[in-house]
């Protein structure tokens, strides 16, 4: 199993060497199947959960117009929560039925813990927490949502088991 997953900019990698299972192939598999669904960047399975990870870093050198990235805009929030819903069929088809935690790792200019918590709360309202309370009979589509910085991810008791590290390019 592949254990290091390099994000799309090539600057950071998630070390999933301690995961039960992990993949970043959802996008490729959706494209190959010619279906137009939005997908999360990474799926990580541990002993108790599936971490559905979306990663966005507008703080990197060379990122076009980082100051115009507005993660709290209606369009960006919609894009993010649709990635959760559109990733569920992938887990279903792989028989991955552990509780899902949706984690958005987010870095952007002027981002702070307050804006990340506010974004988390918006996502909670768009994800099926209330629906599963009303009709789930104990069954859940989602167990948790979180929005964290890279540092918060690495410091977290669970997420930190799959640390995000800078990629050092060989010269």
């Amino acid at each position: 199993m592949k254990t290091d997953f390099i994000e799309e900019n090539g600057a950071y990698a998630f070390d999933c060497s301690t995961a039960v299972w992990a993949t970043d192939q959802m996008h490729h598999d959706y494209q190959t199947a010619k279906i137009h669904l939005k997908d999360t960047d990474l799926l990580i399975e541990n002993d108790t959960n599936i971490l559905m990870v979306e990663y966005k870093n507008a703080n990197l050198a060379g990122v076009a117009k980082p100051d115009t990235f507005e993660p709290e805009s209606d369009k960006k929030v919609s894009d993010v929560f649709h990635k959760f819903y559109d990733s569920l069929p992938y887990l279903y088809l792989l028989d991955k039925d552990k509780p899902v935690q949706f984690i958005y790792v987010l870095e952007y200019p002027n981002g702070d813990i307050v804006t990340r918590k506010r974004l988390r709360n918006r996502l909670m309202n768009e994800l099926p927490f209330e629906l599963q309370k009303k009709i789930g009979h104990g069954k859940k589509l989602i167990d948790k949502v979180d929005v964290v910085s890279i540092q918060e991810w690495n410091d977290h008791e669970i997420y930190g088991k799959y640390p995000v590290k800078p990629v050092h390019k060989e010269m």
Side-chain angles (χ1 to χ4, degrees), residues 15-159:
D15 176 356
C16 296
S17 57
T18 63
V20 170
W21 170 84
T23 187
D24 63 353
Q25 290 300 298
M26 190 178 349
H27 181 77
H28 171 75
D29 292 342
Y30 280 5
Q31 294 292 310
T32 302
K34 297 183 177 152
I35 56 175
H36 303 287
L37 296 176
K38 296 175 188 256
D39 55 90
T40 55
D41 295 314
L42 183 60
L43 298 169
I44 303 169
E45 180 178 4
N46 63 28
D47 290 335
T48 56
N49 296 93
I50 300 288
L51 303 180
M52 190 183 285
V53 182
E54 179 60 17
Y55 172 89
K56 179 68 174 173
N57 193 337
N59 279 342
L60 296 172
V63 171
K65 302 180 184 177
D67 293 331
T68 63
F69 177 66
E70 297 178 14
E72 293 185 87
S73 72
D74 291 343
K75 167 100 173 79
K76 291 293 183 194
V77 171
S78 176
D79 286 348
V80 170
F81 75 74
H82 277 104
K83 287 179 181 230
F84 167 81
Y85 288 110
D86 286 0
S87 296
L88 288 175
Y90 196 82
L91 291 174
Y92 176 80
L93 292 171
L94 291 173
D95 289 325
K96 299 292 184 183
D97 59 0
K98 291 179 181 174
V100 173
Q101 296 184 356
F102 183 62
I103 317 301
Y104 187 13
V105 181
L106 179 63
E107 294 282 345
Y108 66 102
N110 303 316
D112 61 19
I113 194 167
V114 173
T115 57
R116 287 190 296 277
K117 297 289 183 207
R118 189 168 50 231
L119 182 54
R120 182 208 57 205
N121 292 342
R122 280 194 67 193
L123 289 171
M124 284 184 76
N125 290 329
E126 299 293 344
L127 294 168
F129 290 102
E130 287 302 314
L131 181 65
Q132 66 194 19
K133 280 183 194 175
K134 291 182 181 194
I135 66 170
H137 305 289
K139 190 171 185 174
K140 292 183 176 183
L141 291 171
I142 187 168
D143 199 41
K144 177 182 181 177
V145 62
D146 209 351
V147 180
V148 296
S149 68
I150 291 172
Q151 187 64 53
E152 290 163 339
W153 170 278
N154 286 340
D155 291 344
H156 192 273
E157 178 182 356
I158 304 297
Y159 319 150

Side-chain angles (χ1 to χ4, degrees), residues 4-14 24 41 55-57 60 150 164-165 167 169:
D4 286 329
F5 299 93
I6 300 173
E7 52 85 23
E8 65 187 355
N9 298 303
Y12 288 92
F14 287 79
D24 63 353
D41 295 314
Y55 172 89
K56 179 68 174 173
N57 193 337
L60 296 172
I150 291 172
V164 178
K165 300 176 183 176
V167 172
K169 303 203 188 258

